[in-house]
Amino acid sequence: MKYIFITCSALFLFACAQKQAPAENAGTPAPAAAETPAVAAGNKLPDPVCEMPYDTSYKEWAVYKTDTLHFCSTTCKGVFEKAPEKYMAKLGK
């Protein structure tokens, strides 16, 4: 039982430490639309951390200044709360 707990803990820590690397471009410039922040239907902002589009199933949220942000997971919300200015700049706010 001890080994199962240690293995599960190690896998959890490994999964949480993973950072998503941006997709490699084959030398082609990004379209101009990619430079502007994405806004999903209903004028809802995407998840600022992983940039997933807004989904009505998101249960995690936070208010930053005047914006209500919805998150796909508690992990993304925790990452945002550590450096909100960084992620709001990514959204163009």
Side-chain angles (χ1 to χ4, degrees):
M1 186 67 165
K2 179 170 88 172
Y3 295 112
I4 293 173
F5 177 76
I6 291 171
T7 303
C8 290
S9 298
L11 288 174
F12 177 76
L13 291 173
F14 179 75
C16 291
Q18 294 296 314
K19 293 185 180 181
Q20 294 179 347
E24 300 249 350
N25 288 342
T28 57
E35 295 173 5
T36 59
V39 177
N43 204 25
K44 300 281 185 174
L45 296 171
D47 184 321
V49 178
C50 66
E51 298 179 357
M52 290 178 62
Y54 172 77
D55 187 354
T56 57
S57 67
Y58 290 172
K59 303 294 183 217
E60 296 295 326
W61 58 276
V63 176
Y64 180 76
K65 295 186 180 178
T66 60
D67 296 313
T68 300
L69 302 159
H70 298 271
F71 300 93
C72 65
S73 66
T74 55
T75 303
C76 283
K77 181 180 177 184
V79 169
F80 173 80
E81 289 175 341
K82 290 179 182 175
E85 295 84 15
K86 171 185 171 184
Y87 295 103
M88 290 305 287
K90 193 188 314 184
L91 290 176
K93 293 277 183 168

